[in-house]
């Protein structure tokens, strides 16, 4: 229960873009595919992954 609350808080703190990237990762998209879809570079995708 405590971990769930902690995870919920962390999720709410993520930016909308981080959430978009994570959603696409959840759909098994690769960094280059995510970049194409969101019009961002692969390095930016990887930065979002690190920040999540």
């Amino acid at each position: 229960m405590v971990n769930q609350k902690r995870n919920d808080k962390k999720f709410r703190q993520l930016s909308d873009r981080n959430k978009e990237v994570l959603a696409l990762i959840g759909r098994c998209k690769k960094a280059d595919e995510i970049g194409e879809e969101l019009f961002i570079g692969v390095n930016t995708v990887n930065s979002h992954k690190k920040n999540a």
Side-chain angles (χ1 to χ4, degrees):
M1 185 80 165
V2 173
N3 283 336
Q4 179 66 36
K5 287 183 182 182
R6 188 178 307 139
N7 289 338
D8 287 346
K9 183 178 178 183
K10 286 182 181 181
F11 183 77
R12 285 192 308 271
Q13 291 174 339
L14 292 174
S15 69
D16 289 340
R17 187 59 109 184
N18 277 101
K19 292 174 185 176
E20 286 179 297
V21 170
L22 289 175
L24 292 169
I25 291 169
R27 294 187 200 143
C28 300
K29 299 265 185 171
K30 297 178 184 174
D32 60 331
E33 296 170 321
I34 294 169
E36 264 186 49
E37 188 166 329
L38 298 179
F39 304 103
I40 58 177
V42 172
N43 289 336
T44 304
V45 172
N46 291 330
S47 291
H48 284 296
K49 288 163 66 173
K50 288 178 190 176
N51 292 332

